[in-house]
Amino acid sequence: MDSVPLWGIILIVVLVVIAVAAGVVLLRQFQNQTALAALQQRQRRLADLPLMDQVGTLAKMTLSGASLETFHRWQAQYNRLTEKEFPAVLNQLNQAGELNDHYRITQARRIVDTLTGRIADEERTAQDITDALAKITDVAQENQAAKQAAKERYKKLRKTILVQSFSFGSAITALQTALTAINESFAHVDVLESNGDHIQARTALGQINEQLDALQKEVNDIPPRVNELTNIFPGQAEELANGYDRLHDAGYRFFDINIPQELTKLDDDRQKAETLLRQNKVADLQAANKAIADHIDRLYDVMQKEIDAKADVEKMRGELHAFLTHAAVQNRTLQNEVRHLDESYVLTNDEVQTAARFGRQIAEAQERFTQDEQKIADQEAVFTLVAEDMKKIDSQLTAIEEKQVAMDKDLSGLETGEEIARQNLARFMMEFRETRREMGQQNLPGLPKQYKEFAEIVRQEIGKLDHDLNQVKINLEDITKQLIMTQEDLKTLKQRSADLIDAAALTQEILQYANALKQENPAVAKASSTATQIFNTTFDYPKALDTIATAVEAAEPGAYHRIESAYKDRKNQL
């Protein structure tokens, strides 16, 4: 096959490029045609909207005010849309079609893009005009329904006010004035509607509903307040006045409050509340009535407290009189006992002064009680204050009685304590003598210096106890401390004595046992000599025992323990 010449290849390439370019142009031309067809359809739908009918219908209606102003504003929008926008868009659609038909694809596409946004704006504007014009029509219809509903509310309220006029008291005039104002507002709505100002009429109807709401609240709130001012408060005030007179005649008095003045103020407050009622100041009236009710409750409470307090006082009078008598007798007995014991014992807790102070406090309480009784007899008693004072007296007497009983209990133990102390002293003396006698019976060559010094201390302690217990006034507190110390020291002395006796006896036994060992055991012989010297010269028997026992145990293991065990067995059998 012959090869294609170069010019042939170039021709083929050119033809291919032309074919591709033609295909692209045709494709874009088709796309433009499709887009233009869609835009034309949208534009026709806009032209077919019933905007002209809406505008025509409203133009025939008698509009004024806000409604007319709104109509004119949207009518101008309609005219601009139909007279300027629609023709301009139609002209551009035709121009784009011609350009596309003549294969001026790019120019046609730019117009398509511009028209897409412009027609979208037209659609939004057309919808806004439709909604606004429909709203004007709807407002007129809604106003009729709203006016009818408001008139029904008005009729009900007017009927309630007329039929129940007695329940509104002096506020009836203000309520009737409110009815008149609302009726005038309805007339104003009628004028607005007849003039075609439906939007302003809707605003006026909203104001009427606010008037009706306020009137409804007053119709609900005023009757209870009128009932309080007309029936409840006067009845309660009269009851308070009569109650005060009866209580005053019965001898009741009141502290820090002048009830007649309070009743006068209560009447003044009711008159002020009546003025608020006439002025139809419902919120202020409610606050005023609340204050009056609280004032009345407070006066009732004051009187009731005095009545209750008198009952408490009557119950306490006899009991407190008996309590005072009992406390005085108890105190005299206590003071006599304290003075008597003060002659024989040193009282370390100021019992004499304390008992006397209790007596003065009881006398002061008696004086207060007498004054309270006199006020009751003179019909000058404020029973709440008297009751409070009597409760304080009762509490004070209870505290004094508890302290007097505790003091008496403590004092009653003095003589018993003395007897116990003497018994312990006698026992100490006997045990000390027995200890000394037992030590004497051991025939020991002597006693260690420290032991003799400690024995002397114990002897002196026993002697001091004997001396202090034989004084005119005994300090049992100090003696008790001495008893504890002496008992411990005597116990120690007895233990030391027993230890010395055991050490001396064991030393002597082991020394005898050592005699058989010392000839053959120089260490035992030396220890025996040393222990004997200690035993007879320094009398340190434990040291002597330790010296010889150590040597013997070393020479003959177990010997010391056998001797010690045998000694303890003999001792336990005694």
Side-chain angles (χ1 to χ4, degrees), residues 250-253 309-310 312-314 316-317 369-383 386-387 390:
Y252 286 86
R253 298 295 179 266
K310 183 179 181 182
D312 292 339
V313 167
E314 291 300 328
M316 286 189 290
R317 288 172 69 183
F369 177 75
T370 302
Q371 291 174 358
D372 288 337
E373 287 281 276
Q374 189 60 48
K375 289 177 183 177
I376 294 171
D378 295 340
Q379 292 192 341
E380 296 179 354
V382 178
F383 288 109
V386 171
M390 287 187 173

Side-chain angles (χ1 to χ4, degrees), residues 13 57 77 111 122 211 247 256 267 397 407 416 565:
V13 171
T57 299
Q77 290 287 337
I111 296 175
E122 288 181 343
Q211 290 176 293
L247 292 176
D256 200 26
D267 188 61
L397 292 178
M407 183 185 292
T416 302
S565 296

Side-chain angles (χ1 to χ4, degrees), residues 442 503-519 524-525 527-529 531-532 535-536 544-545 547-549 551-552 556 559-560 562-563 566-567 570:
Q442 302 303 313
L506 280 170
T507 301
Q508 290 173 332
E509 289 191 19
I510 295 177
L511 283 171
Q512 291 177 1
Y513 187 83
N515 288 334
L517 301 174
K518 63 183 180 180
Q519 291 181 352
V524 173
S528 179
S529 175
T532 301
F535 189 92
N536 291 318
L545 174 61
T547 300
I548 188 59
V552 169
E556 187 177 323
Y560 169 72
R562 289 196 306 272
I563 296 170
Y567 171 78
R570 291 196 303 276

Side-chain angles (χ1 to χ4, degrees), residues 191-360:
V191 171
L192 291 172
E193 288 181 335
S194 65
N195 291 335
D197 195 351
H198 301 291
I199 294 177
Q200 192 62 37
R202 182 177 60 182
T203 302
L205 282 170
Q207 293 171 348
I208 288 176
N209 278 309
E210 291 176 0
Q211 290 176 293
L212 289 170
D213 289 341
L215 183 59
Q216 181 68 64
K217 189 174 188 309
E218 292 171 356
V219 167
N220 293 338
D221 293 343
I222 290 175
R225 306 291 83 78
V226 171
N227 185 48
E228 289 171 346
L229 290 173
T230 305
N231 300 313
I232 296 176
F233 292 161
Q236 290 176 331
E238 183 179 1
E239 186 178 43
L240 285 170
N242 293 335
Y244 172 75
D245 291 339
R246 290 194 301 272
L247 292 176
H248 188 272
D249 293 343
Y252 286 86
R253 298 295 179 266
F254 299 89
F255 173 73
D256 200 26
I257 185 171
N258 188 320
I259 290 183
Q261 287 183 1
E262 293 293 324
L263 291 173
T264 300
K265 183 179 183 305
L266 192 62
D267 188 61
D268 291 342
D269 290 342
R270 283 165 46 215
Q271 296 303 321
K272 293 176 182 177
E274 281 288 352
T275 301
L276 294 173
L277 178 63
R278 284 194 299 274
Q279 294 172 346
N280 200 31
K281 295 181 179 179
V282 180
D284 293 340
L285 173 64
Q286 288 179 319
N289 278 23
K290 175 66 167 57
I292 293 171
D294 291 343
H295 193 178
I296 290 172
D297 289 343
R298 198 159 57 247
L299 293 178
Y300 273 119
D301 186 55
V302 168
M303 293 185 185
Q304 188 60 49
K305 283 182 178 178
E306 285 301 318
I307 294 171
D308 295 341
K310 183 179 181 182
D312 292 339
V313 167
E314 291 300 328
K315 181 180 179 181
M316 286 189 290
R317 288 172 69 183
E319 296 174 356
L320 195 54
H321 176 73
F323 199 174
L324 282 164
T325 302
H326 164 73
V329 171
Q330 184 187 50
N331 181 258
R332 285 195 296 271
T333 302
L334 180 63
Q335 290 201 56
N336 290 335
E337 182 182 0
V338 169
R339 283 193 292 269
H340 171 70
L341 292 174
D342 188 49
E343 295 174 357
S344 301
Y345 300 97
V346 175
L347 303 179
T348 58
N349 294 316
D350 295 328
E351 284 86 351
V352 175
Q353 293 81 357
T354 302
R357 185 175 73 253
F358 289 158
R360 292 193 297 273

Side-chain angles (χ1 to χ4, degrees), residues 22-35:
V24 170
V25 170
L26 291 174
L27 176 62
R28 289 184 177 178
Q29 184 185 43
F30 176 75
Q31 290 175 337
N32 285 345
Q33 288 174 347
T34 302

